[in-house]
Every structure is written in C-alpha cells, then in structure tokens.
C-alpha cells in the first residue's frame, strides 16, 4: 500500500495547496451573526509601497498564532487586513517613476498625478498582501481595506468635520518642521534625529554706540540673516548695562535689540544668543514673549528668499558658506569649533529639515489624551509588557498639538473651502458649493492633505463600516488585541486610543501586545548598509514557512529583541522533518486502525502510555497558559520539547514492541494511544506551524471531524487520562535505560551487542517498577540477561550508575576485551598529549601571544582547554580498565 505521506516533506507544494484550499473554503471569513464569543484583531496596515521585511514577518506571525488558536478555541475570529496609502512614501515612488520618463509631477498637474498613483496602486500595490499569504496569515481577505478607499474616506471626513465643529481642529501660523525636498510639514514624530559632526561658529555683533561686540554661537550661521534680537540672561552681570541697547546685525545692517530672557544659559558659550524666531523653535517662543518681529529668510525649497538681501536665491548651504566667508572678511568671525549635535532629518527622504513659519491645520489633542490616559489607568486597555505603560503616559502627559496638514497631493484632501469674498472657512462632509458665511459660490478647496496617521488612527472602527452602524462593528468592536512594534506606540496606538474613545465611546482594543525588534545573530539592528538583512521570503523559500514561523515564536520572549540567524531556522526545519518522520512511522502502523469512537479510558494502559498521556496533558496546559500570557517562546519551547524529546525520542521507541508484537489487543491499545497523542499534538502545533500540521492531519486514518484542522477544537486540559504516579514510575525505568546507555557509550560497546545487567533495588516498590518495565529496559538498552532484586548478588567487577534508588551494575567481564581497550586508550592518550603539548608551546611563545589577533588566541586557548579536559577523561578510563587486570 502506498504510504499516505511521501518520504520527504516539500514545504512549497504543501503550502500553496493548503493556503488555496483554506481561502476557497472561506476558512478565514468572520461571521458577524455567529453566536460564538468574538475575538478580533486589526492588522497594523503595511504601507501599500511595502515589501515584507522581518518586522512584518514577526508581527504577522504573532497575530496569526493568536487568531488560529482562538478559532480552534471556539471563538468567532475576525482578523481585519488592509494597507495604508502612506502619503509621502507613495508620492515619492510615483514621482521617481515619472522622473524616469522625464516627467515632473507639476507638469501633469494634481488630478493626473493622483490618477497615476491610483494606477500604480492597482498594478503593484498589492505585493505585500501576497507576501503575507506566503507567511500563512489567516486574515479575512474578503474584508480587505485600503486607507483611501471610499468607506474610509467617508469616515475621515466625518471625523474631521466633527472635530472641527467641537473646536478641536484649528488653523494656525506657527513654526513647524519642514522638509525642503518633500515640500511638506512634518510632525515631530516624523523627524528622525541623528548625531552628526558639525561646527559651532562664534560671530561678533557690534553694539551700537560703543566699541564692544557681543559674541553669539550658532550651528546654522545662515539664519543670522533673520535674527531679530540678541538675548542674555537677566542675572548675567557681564551684560547688565547692555540690556535695552541695540546691536547692528552684520551683513544686512539691521538694528536689533538686546533683550533679557531667563531661557538663556549663562554658562553656554559667551552667555549671549542670537534670536531667529522664524527658524528655531525655542527662539519662536522667546519671540512671542518679547513681541519680536518674525523674519522668514527661506523659501519652501530651502533657498534664501528676498529677506536674505544679497544672498537671495542661494541654496541654504551655499548661503552658509558665503555668510561665513563675508563675516570672516569683515573681522566678525571670532572662531569656529568642532561640534556634534543631533540633526533632524525627514523620515522619508533623509533631507535635513528646517524649522519654517507656515500656516497649518492642528488637532488640539489634550482633551482627547486625557480620556486615553484614563482608559489605561483604569485597565480598560492593558499594555503588555507593562513597562511600556510608563512610556505611553509620559508621552500622553506631555502631548503637543498634532499638525495634521501635509503639502502633498496623495492623501485625504482636507474638506475645507476658502471663500474669496469673505474670510469664512467652510468645512463640510459633502463637497461645498456655497460659502457657509456669505453664500458666495467663489470657493477654493484647501490643497493640503491629511497626515497619513490621521486616517490610520480610525482604522479599528473605520474598517468595520463606521460611521454606519454595521453588524460587524456591533460584533467585533472593541477589538480584543493589538499586536504592534514599540516604534509606533505614539504614531499610531495612542492616536487610535484617542479617536476610538472620542467617536465610539469605547477603547479600540482591550490589550496591546508590544513585541521587540528582530536583529541579526550578533544583536545588531538589521540595515541595508550593514549588509546583515535577512529577507523573510528567501528564508521561506529555503526552509519552509513553518520552520520560519516556529523560529520567530521560539525567540519571541517578552520584552527581548530577537537575535535571528539562518542556523536557527535550519534547526527548526530539522524539527519540522522530525515531526514528519514520526508521523510517517505512525501512519505505517495505523493502516488497519479505525479511530471512530476511541475511548482511552477503557484500555489497560501500559506504563509508557500513562507516561506520554500525562506529559501530553502537561504540555497542553503549559501551551495554553503561555499563549494567554503572550509568552510565545514558552509555548514554542514546550511544544518542541514534548514533540522531539518525549514523543519522538521516547514514546515511539517504547511502543514499537507493542505495535510489532502478536497480541492483537495490545496492538490495538498501542495504536489508540499513538493515534490520540499524534492527532492532538498536531492540533496543539497548528497555530504555529499551520501547513505541515494540516498535511499530516488530513492523512490520518478515519474520517476527519471537520474540513480543516483550523476548525478542530484546540486541546484542552483534561482531554486525556492522566496518571502522575504511573508517569513517575516510567521516569524511573527511563532513568535506568539512560544509565545503561551512558555506560555503553563510555565503554564504547557497539550498539548491536547485547549485554547483561544487574539492578540492585533499595526498595520493594522500585523492584515492582523495574519488573513492570523489564520489557522496555531489555529492548531500549539492548539487555539480554537481566537480574534484579532487593539486595541482589553483585558482580565482582562492574561499571556502575545510579537511577533513583536503583543501582545499575554492568559486569565488565562480558562487556569489553580489557587488553584491546587498554591498547586503544593508550593510543588515544598519546594523540591528545601531542595536541596539549603543541598548544601549550604555542601559547607560551611571547612573540606569538603579542602579535596574534584576539580571536585567534581565544580559539587556541579554547582548543587547549578542550584537549586537557579530554586527556583527563581518557586517563580516568585507563585507570578503570587497568584496575580490572
């Protein structure tokens, strides 16, 4: 008969077959009318421009494990998928495509450009979704959403209008972070700070009517063209007589006041600072306090404008060089120092940002943050691991108003219209045709779009059909859990909390699980420049999805970064193959077995059966508890240890005699236990390893209770008979087998050779156990003659080991040829002594030690230590052998 499972496991064919089948059967679809308890998760929507990287792989594997586990545990599960329109990132991609054809977006205009983006989205915007499917993600793809689709656009407008009507959205002219390349405002969170080596220029400003200079230090000398004051600390005696006087601003010859402000640090530099309210956030605040003029000297591309006098039209860094050269020529450059400081860069294009005066739209988030803080304080939303709560609170308590307008074309256009005949701004859900102030038809729509995070902040409810009251919302909101990386705790998690509470009156999720980063094997962050990036798709091709997923789960310890190497993934591929081979063995021995209505309670279970069922019950309980607590690594490691060490290494070996023997009743019992454990084990493993478990489960004998293992019940504690005493007795038998095997190994007894053993038991109870387990000991330890008893006669010369209160004695007479063994050991000792001498000589050579690289020395010292240890063991063995002569 043809075996149901081929000899080797071929992940790629199996994965494609089962994923297609699950989709066809609608296994991932959530039914809002189901009477079952709900469990819901929204996917952190990957950018539509994205390709699957390690962060996505980890994040989505962890979500999928939860969803598959909860489905099997009897919940109606919704895993809501979708992608984010990713404003600037997507606009950049399409702009680059146009540039390759020699087209500038301004040449084709906004409408045509947006059409091109949609076209790009249709053609290649779904790449990451197919990659998530390769990962085995069981999302409800029938509900897939996009942050710019029609329903979500409706939700965005509804939210914008309601916040505006509540006075929580406003426009203001203030300093913002500006990207001169992307030509847009950025929120503080979108600016990435990097330590860079730069300079500190010390400039001399002549004090009017005296021959004194005030020396100010700056890292951006070109901004001096927009200075409107010099500030000193009011308590600084050096400058007390100058407060209220003026300096003549060099190069532009504008008179500016000397002011006193407590913000100025007397100890830094000269104790005097230049104030440029239009180009520095702190200066902007000082400017407001002292009613200073705000002079913007840059245009939106970072070039000097007409306020920069002779430098007008120069690019900012070109102007910097010229300003410094001109000051030096006039004797107004005191000195230049090397200086390291954190430079802000645009998170998308890495251009250095400029603080820039600009009129933008803001959300007043303080009242919303108050509710979001209370929700975590009262436990309505729990953050796991708990240490992240502190970070969440710190940020929420110090929250700044959120700048939500972006000067780009791709995104949700702000639903506000300006009237050319009066100052009124009309904000409305529908496109406005007349001014809400004066009724004029002379309207212009705001050209700005909303920050991408504005629409993703609504994701938990907008994807379920809000603002309509849908069945999906009623059943699945609030969601059960959000799985995310810590890097978007503020960008996204905090904002979802604020919006969910404001518009749904309920938190968006009951728990937030924050996972760590995936790093390389050395713990370094993966980056293209370091060349240490591991591509998930390459790994899946090479090792299979299940091995990859199992690796991620096994290393996902709470709050700890994952150090990933392909060696580790290869190790879990071996685990997949181990499960496959054990299942093939089981299937070959279950061909005539019908599992219909098996009841393990009616059998006279053997010691091995009682042991494996007890261990299985323990593994079931531990796995379920670990998943409840988001301890994925504990769940994976429990399952690994049970499958490999207990089921494969021990039980399958222990049960062979029963399966191969002539007693049909014994065989039937062994088959029932083997089947029950394997079938349940596949269900336990399924959430982590969905493909290989489905393939094996479908090949098991008998009729399947449901179409897919995905619908089978997750094993619960108490499902199999447990016998702790029987398991403990079996452990003693296994200890004895291990002890005999150890001696055989030490003495180099060939595996085929059968030996004699004497077991000296210290109690009647352990003698009873030894007698019950005699068959196992004979088979697994290859023992021919076995003599056991309490105070049994001990052989003269024996190798010994202890297991519990049983002493194992193997008579050496029949075990080895003493003369041959002595010869072998002496030869081996001579070889190892040579190694010891060589490494000792090498490491006592001062010249070698002084010049050899550290890693070479470390390796050689390690080799010497190993050789010395080996020599010690060999000499002990020789003494034992010589004592027998």
């Amino acid at each position: 008969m043809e075996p149901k499972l081929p000899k080797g496991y071929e992940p790629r064919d199996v994965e494609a077959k089962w994923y297609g089948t699950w989709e066809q059967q609608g296994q991932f679809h959530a039914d809002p009318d189901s009477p079952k308890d709900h469990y819901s998760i929204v996917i952190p929507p990957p950018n539509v421009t994205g390709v699957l990287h390690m962060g996505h792989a980890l994040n989505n594997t962890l979500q999928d494990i939860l969803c598959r586990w909860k489905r099997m545990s009897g919940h109606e599960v919704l895993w809501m998928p979708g992608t984010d329109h990713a404003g600037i990132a997507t606009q950049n991609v399409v702009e680059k495509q146009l540039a390759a054809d020699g087209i500038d977006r301004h040449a084709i205009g906004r409408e045509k450009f947006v059409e091109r983006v949609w076209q790009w989205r249709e053609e290649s915007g779904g790449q990451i979704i197919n990659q998530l499917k390769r990962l085995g993600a069981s999302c409800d793809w029938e509900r897939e959403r996009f942050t710019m689709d029609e329903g979500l656009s409706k939700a965005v407008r509804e939210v914008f209008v309601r916040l505006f009507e509540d006075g929580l959205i406003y426009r203001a002219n203030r300093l913002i972070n500006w990207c001169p390349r992307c030509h847009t405002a950025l929120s503080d969170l979108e600016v990435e700070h990097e330590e860079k080596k730069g300079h500190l220029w010390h400039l001399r400003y002549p004090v009017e009517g005296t021959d004194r200079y005030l020396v100010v230090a700056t890292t951006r000398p070109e901004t001096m063209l927009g200075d409107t004051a010099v500030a000193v600390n009011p308590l600084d005696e050096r400058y007390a007589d100058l407060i209220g006087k003026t300096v003549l601003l060099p190069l532009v010859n504008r008179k500016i006041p000397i002011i006193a402000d407590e913000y100025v640090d007397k100890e830094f530099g000269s104790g005097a600072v230049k104030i440029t309210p239009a180009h520095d956030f702190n200066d902007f605040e000082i400017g407001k306090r002292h009613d200073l003029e705000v002079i913007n000297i840059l245009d939106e591309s970072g070039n000097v404008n007409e306020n920069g006098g002779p430098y007008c039209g120069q690019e900012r860094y070109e102007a910097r060089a010229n300003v410094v050269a001109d000051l030096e020529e006039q004797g107004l450059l005191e000195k230049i120092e090397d200086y390291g400081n954190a430079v802000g860069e645009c998170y998308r294009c890495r251009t250095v940002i400029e603080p820039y005066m600009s009129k933008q739209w803001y959300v007043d988030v303080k009242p919303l943050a108050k509710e979001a803080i209370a929700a975590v304080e009262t436990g309505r939303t729990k953050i796991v691991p708990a240490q992240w709560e502190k970070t969440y609170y710190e940020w929420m308590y110090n929250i700044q108003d959120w700048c939500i307008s972006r000067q780009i074309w791709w995104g949700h256009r702000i639903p506000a219209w300006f009237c050319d005949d009066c100052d009124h701004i009309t904000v409305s859900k529908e496109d406005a045709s007349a001014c809400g102030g004066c009724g004029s038809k002379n309207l212009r729509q705001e050209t700005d779009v909303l920050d991408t995070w504005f629409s993703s902040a609504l994701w938990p409810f907008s994807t379920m059909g809000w603002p309509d009251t849908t069945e999906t919302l009623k059943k699945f909101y609030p969601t059960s859990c959000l799985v995310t990386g810590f890097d978007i705790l503020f960008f996204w998690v905090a904002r979802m909390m604020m919006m969910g509470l404001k518009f749904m009156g309920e938190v968006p999720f009951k728990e937030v699980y924050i996972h760590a980063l995936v790093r390389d094997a050395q713990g370094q962050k993966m980056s293209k420049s370091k060349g240490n990036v591991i591509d998930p798709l390459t790994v899946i091709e090479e090792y299979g999805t299940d091995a990859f997923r199992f690796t991620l789960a096994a290393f996902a310890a709470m709050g700890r970064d994952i150090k990933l190497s392909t060696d580790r993934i290869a190790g879990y591929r071996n685990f997949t193959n181990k499960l496959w081979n054990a299942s093939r063995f089981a299937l070959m021995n279950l061909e005539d077995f019908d599992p219909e209505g098996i009841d393990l309670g009616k059998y006279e279970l053997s010691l091995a059966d009682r042991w494996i069922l007890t261990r299985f019950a323990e593994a079931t309980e531990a796995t379920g508890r670990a998943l409840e607590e988001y301890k994925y690594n504990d769940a994976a490691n429990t399952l690994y240890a049970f499958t490999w060490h207990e089921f494969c290494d021990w039980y399958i070996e222990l049960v062979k005699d029963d399966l191969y023997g002539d007693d049909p009743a014994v065989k039937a019992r062994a088959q029932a236990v083997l089947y029950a454990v394997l079938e349940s084990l596949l269900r336990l493993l399924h959430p982590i390893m969905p493909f290989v478990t489905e393939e094996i489960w479908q090949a098991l004998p008998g009729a399947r209770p449901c179409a897919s293992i995905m619908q089978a019940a997750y094993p619960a504690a108490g499902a199999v008979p447990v016998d702790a005493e029987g398991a403990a007795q079996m452990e003693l038998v296994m200890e004895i087998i291990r002890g005999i095997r150890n001696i055989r190994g030490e003495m180099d007894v060939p595996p085929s050779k059968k030996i004699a053993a004497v077991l000296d038991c210290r109690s009647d109870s352990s003698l009873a156990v030894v007698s019950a387990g005699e068959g196992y000991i004979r088979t697994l330890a290859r023992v021919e003659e076995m003599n056991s008893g309490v105070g049994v006669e001990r052989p003269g010369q024996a190798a010994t080991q202890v297991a519990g209160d049983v002493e194992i004695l193997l008579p050496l007479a029949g075990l080895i040829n003493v003369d041959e063994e002595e010869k072998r050991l002496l030869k081996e000792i001579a070889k190892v002594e040579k190694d010891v001498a060589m490494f000792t000589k090498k490491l006592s050579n001062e010249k070698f030690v002084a010049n050899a690289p550290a890693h070479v020395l470390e390796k050689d010292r390690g080799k010497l230590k190993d050789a010395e240890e080996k020599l010690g063991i060999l000499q002990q063995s020789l003494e034992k052998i010589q004592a027998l002569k």
Side-chain angles (χ1 to χ4, degrees):
M1 199 175 144
E2 183 65 30
K4 279 199 172 169
L5 294 179
K7 194 160 187 208
Y9 175 55
E10 293 297 338
R12 186 197 274 210
D13 308 341
V14 170
E15 289 164 16
K17 172 180 82 177
W18 284 118
Y19 201 89
T21 307
W22 293 330
E23 277 205 280
Q24 250 171 341
Q25 292 172 344
Q27 295 287 2
F28 309 152
H29 188 58
D31 174 9
D33 301 324
S34 159
K36 295 184 204 169
D37 285 347
H38 88 283
Y39 185 84
S40 53
I41 287 185
V42 291
I43 203 168
N47 285 353
V48 69
T49 55
V51 287
L52 193 73
H53 59 60
M54 268 306 159
H56 294 130
L58 173 66
N59 179 267
N60 288 288
T61 296
L62 299 183
Q63 291 176 81
D64 194 48
I65 290 170
L66 293 177
C67 288
R68 288 177 183 272
W69 166 56
K70 286 291 184 181
R71 264 188 212 102
M72 294 175 80
S73 308
H75 291 75
E76 190 62 32
V77 173
L78 167 61
W79 183 9
M80 174 67 78
T83 49
D84 188 81
H85 67 278
I88 296 177
T90 308
Q91 178 152 321
N92 281 350
V93 167
V94 180
E95 274 191 49
K96 276 181 194 150
Q97 281 189 342
L98 289 173
D101 302 336
I103 305 168
D104 174 47
R105 72 178 162 105
H106 294 280
I108 61 169
R110 183 172 190 142
E111 226 169 280
K112 281 267 184 299
F113 179 76
V114 170
E115 265 174 43
R116 279 295 291 261
V117 185
W118 276 108
Q119 186 188 328
W120 173 86
R121 140 96 183 150
E122 296 311 316
E123 287 162 13
S124 44
Q127 189 182 2
I128 193 152
I129 297 297
N130 293 323
Q131 293 168 342
L132 287 171
K133 292 180 177 183
R134 284 293 309 269
L135 196 62
S138 60
C139 300
D140 189 345
W141 298 113
E142 295 173 43
R143 297 178 189 268
E144 188 193 327
R145 303 305 296 264
F146 176 52
T147 49
M148 288 275 288
D149 68 28
E150 210 174 308
L152 270 65
S153 298
K154 183 178 166 189
V156 165
R157 277 206 173 186
E158 177 85 18
V159 165
F160 187 93
V161 172
R162 276 165 58 176
L163 289 173
F164 182 80
E165 285 169 355
D166 290 350
L168 293 174
I169 283 185
Y170 63 92
R171 269 179 107 216
N173 195 20
R174 59 171 76 146
L175 217 50
I176 44 94
N177 302 297
W178 182 264
C179 174
R181 198 211 79 55
C182 299
H183 281 198
T184 182
L186 299 171
S187 72
D188 292 342
L189 290 173
E190 291 165 316
V191 177
E192 293 187 351
H193 293 278
E194 202 180 326
E195 258 323 301
K196 292 217 166 159
K197 287 193 178 103
H199 296 99
L200 196 57
W201 285 268
H202 295 258
L203 318 179
R204 293 179 185 154
Y205 288 8
V207 179
E208 278 242 299
T210 72
D211 53 3
R212 287 173 71 180
Y213 292 99
L214 273 184
V215 177
V216 298
T218 178
T219 55
R220 293 153 67 225
E222 70 284 3
T223 61
M224 57 88 58
L225 301 169
D227 284 1
T228 54
V230 173
V232 296
N233 189 295
L235 303 175
D236 194 334
E237 288 158 9
R238 294 173 291 176
Y239 304 120
D241 59 330
L242 294 181
I243 295 165
K245 289 194 161 62
T246 54
V247 296
L248 189 64
L249 184 63
L251 308 182
V252 285
N253 297 328
R254 191 159 27 84
K255 291 179 183 178
I256 59 173
I258 298 168
I259 60 171
D261 194 286
E262 283 166 359
Y263 167 76
V264 180
D265 178 359
K266 290 194 295 189
E267 307 306 317
F268 181 75
S270 66
V273 291
K274 60 192 271 317
I275 304 297
T276 326
H279 296 283
D280 180 281
F281 289 100
N282 295 317
D283 293 6
F284 181 71
E285 295 304 320
I286 293 173
K288 279 203 294 202
R289 286 200 286 278
H290 296 271
D291 206 13
L292 297 176
E293 195 183 348
V294 176
I295 301 174
N296 175 22
I297 59 150
L298 294 175
D299 69 10
E300 57 183 28
S301 298
N303 299 325
V304 177
N305 63 20
E306 64 283 358
N307 293 336
Y311 306 94
C312 180
Q314 296 180 11
E315 189 276 327
R316 56 184 166 160
Y317 294 118
E318 179 193 354
R320 174 176 299 181
N322 291 332
V323 163
V324 171
D326 293 346
L327 286 168
E328 189 166 21
E329 197 182 310
Q330 295 179 24
L332 297 174
L333 183 62
E334 175 105 352
K335 59 176 174 178
I336 306 175
E337 290 179 299
D338 286 340
Y339 187 71
N341 72 333
V343 175
E345 296 177 333
C346 168
Y347 76 121
R348 279 292 163 219
C349 72
R350 312 304 301 177
T351 302
V352 174
I353 62 109
E354 282 292 337
Y356 189 71
M357 275 302 291
S358 169
K359 203 159 207 181
Q360 300 288 342
W361 292 85
Y362 291 89
V363 179
D364 173 5
V365 281
K366 286 192 176 61
L368 302 174
K370 206 170 129 202
E371 296 293 319
I373 290 167
V376 175
E377 281 176 341
T378 55
R380 288 161 69 193
T381 293
K382 184 173 148 210
I383 299 177
V384 183
Q387 73 239 32
W388 287 107
E389 282 187 8
K390 187 170 169 282
T391 318
Y392 172 85
Y393 292 137
E394 266 172 25
W395 192 70
M396 293 300 254
Y397 277 117
N398 299 304
I399 200 162
Q400 299 298 316
D401 283 3
W402 174 16
C403 171
I404 52 170
S405 43
R406 299 289 178 272
Q407 289 67 50
I408 56 175
W409 287 351
W410 173 243
H412 292 280
R413 199 160 163 187
I414 290 177
W417 285 262
F418 304 114
C419 175
D420 285 338
D421 298 331
C422 75
D423 289 338
H424 188 76
I425 299 175
T426 306
V427 167
S428 111
K429 292 175 204 172
E430 307 303 327
D431 286 1
S433 52
C435 170
C438 68
S440 161
K441 298 262 192 275
N442 248 344
L443 295 183
R444 283 172 296 116
Q445 189 180 350
E446 167 63 271
T447 54
D448 290 357
V449 301
L450 288 163
D451 174 9
T452 306
W453 297 102
F454 189 91
S455 46
S456 45
L458 322 178
W459 188 248
F461 52 92
S462 64
T463 49
M464 296 189 194
W466 187 92
D468 300 337
T469 318
T470 62
E471 292 306 312
T472 304
L473 263 178
K474 279 188 218 160
K475 173 88 180 164
F476 295 107
Y477 189 93
T479 67
S480 316
C481 173
L482 178 80
V483 178
T484 184
F486 59 83
D487 48 343
I488 52 176
L489 188 57
F490 314 130
F491 272 122
W492 192 46
V493 180
R495 288 166 176 171
M496 284 191 285
M497 287 288 285
M498 295 192 277
M499 295 299 192
L501 287 160
K502 169 81 176 157
F503 292 97
M504 294 295 296
E506 183 53 275
V507 294
F509 18 73
K510 300 283 195 216
E511 295 189 311
V512 178
Y513 173 70
I514 294 177
H515 60 74
L517 284 174
V518 184
R519 297 178 176 270
D520 73 5
Q522 278 69 49
Q524 297 274 317
K525 198 170 173 181
M526 289 190 191
S527 72
K528 284 182 188 157
S529 58
K530 286 191 193 129
N532 63 347
V533 174
I534 302 176
D535 177 359
L537 294 161
T538 312
V539 169
I540 285 172
E541 281 297 325
E542 190 169 347
Y543 301 101
T545 301
D546 289 321
F548 178 44
R549 287 171 57 122
F550 204 95
T551 312
L552 291 172
F555 287 101
M558 199 175 281
R560 276 217 305 275
D561 285 342
I562 292 178
K563 290 182 184 176
L564 192 69
S565 69
T566 45
D567 293 356
R568 288 179 160 166
I569 304 164
Y572 288 107
R573 178 184 53 189
N574 297 344
F575 174 68
T576 313
N577 292 336
K578 184 90 172 170
L579 174 68
W580 182 261
N581 292 332
S583 304
R584 284 189 82 232
F585 165 81
L587 286 170
M588 284 183 221
N589 288 283
L590 291 170
E591 281 177 353
D592 56 348
F593 176 72
D594 179 10
E596 188 63 42
I598 53 169
D599 171 12
L600 296 179
K602 69 175 194 204
Y603 292 107
E604 191 64 49
L605 296 174
S606 72
L607 264 189
D609 296 337
R610 284 179 274 169
W611 172 77
I612 195 71
L613 290 168
T614 304
R615 291 290 170 266
F616 178 75
E618 288 163 0
T620 301
E621 200 272 328
T623 306
R625 192 175 60 241
L627 289 175
E628 284 291 350
E629 294 172 1
Y630 300 104
K631 291 180 178 164
Y632 295 94
N633 58 319
D634 289 353
N637 295 332
T638 297
L639 291 172
Y640 183 94
F642 175 81
T643 306
W644 191 299
H645 302 303
E646 296 176 328
F647 183 63
C648 298
D649 284 355
W650 277 103
Y651 184 68
I652 280 182
E653 296 306 314
L654 291 164
V655 82
K656 280 178 178 173
D657 281 357
D658 290 351
L659 290 170
Y660 299 160
D662 300 327
D663 185 334
V666 167
K667 183 180 176 182
R669 186 213 77 238
Q671 285 180 316
V673 177
L674 179 63
Y675 172 87
V677 174
L678 177 59
E679 195 275 341
S680 299
L681 175 59
L682 292 169
R683 284 186 277 144
L684 268 192
L685 285 164
H686 176 75
I688 305 180
M689 311 177 83
F691 295 108
V692 70
T693 49
E694 180 80 273
E695 180 74 359
I696 299 168
W697 189 78
Q698 295 285 353
L700 292 175
R704 295 282 62 91
C706 43
S708 162
I709 191 171
M710 282 177 70
Q711 298 171 323
Y714 199 72
V720 294
V722 170
D723 175 1
E725 198 181 315
Q729 291 173 355
M730 186 66 215
E731 282 290 349
L732 176 60
V733 173
M734 287 158 68
E735 262 314 283
I736 294 167
I737 294 168
R738 279 192 202 103
I740 299 173
R741 282 175 169 176
N742 285 346
I743 300 171
R744 292 183 66 122
E746 277 173 21
M747 296 289 178
D748 260 349
V749 178
S752 56
K753 183 170 180 176
K754 292 215 165 188
I755 56 168
V758 174
L759 301 177
D760 187 0
C761 304
R762 299 291 145 86
S763 63
D764 289 333
S765 58
S766 56
L767 176 60
V769 173
V770 167
S771 306
E774 184 171 333
Y776 299 131
I777 297 168
R778 285 178 180 276
T779 305
L780 267 62
R782 322 264 320 139
V783 170
E784 195 160 33
E785 285 172 50
M786 184 167 136
N787 189 8
S788 54
V790 176
V792 72
E793 192 186 326
R794 300 160 66 96
Q797 290 175 327
T800 63
Q801 283 247 338
V802 177
D805 66 350
V806 176
E807 191 175 2
I808 302 161
L809 303 137
L810 301 194
L812 286 169
L815 209 56
I816 48 173
N817 178 329
V818 176
D819 293 337
E820 284 296 314
E821 185 63 8
E822 185 180 29
K823 257 194 236 164
R824 187 185 73 79
L825 284 168
L826 286 166
K827 205 164 141 189
E828 189 73 14
I829 285 170
K831 208 163 93 186
V832 179
E833 277 173 339
K834 254 190 195 161
D835 287 347
V836 171
M838 182 188 77
F839 285 116
T840 307
K841 189 178 169 192
K842 203 171 169 185
L843 289 165
S844 57
N845 176 340
E846 287 175 20
K847 199 171 169 196
F848 170 72
V849 172
N851 296 321
H855 69 94
V856 172
L857 286 174
E858 200 180 324
K859 206 168 168 188
D860 283 352
R861 284 186 186 125
K863 282 180 176 171
L864 174 62
K865 188 167 163 267
D866 291 347
E868 286 171 341
E869 278 175 11
K870 191 171 176 185
L871 188 62
I873 293 166
L874 288 167
Q875 281 164 341
Q876 279 177 351
S877 302
L878 183 65
E879 282 164 27
K880 276 189 198 166
I881 289 294
Q882 287 168 336
L884 302 177
K885 287 185 128 180

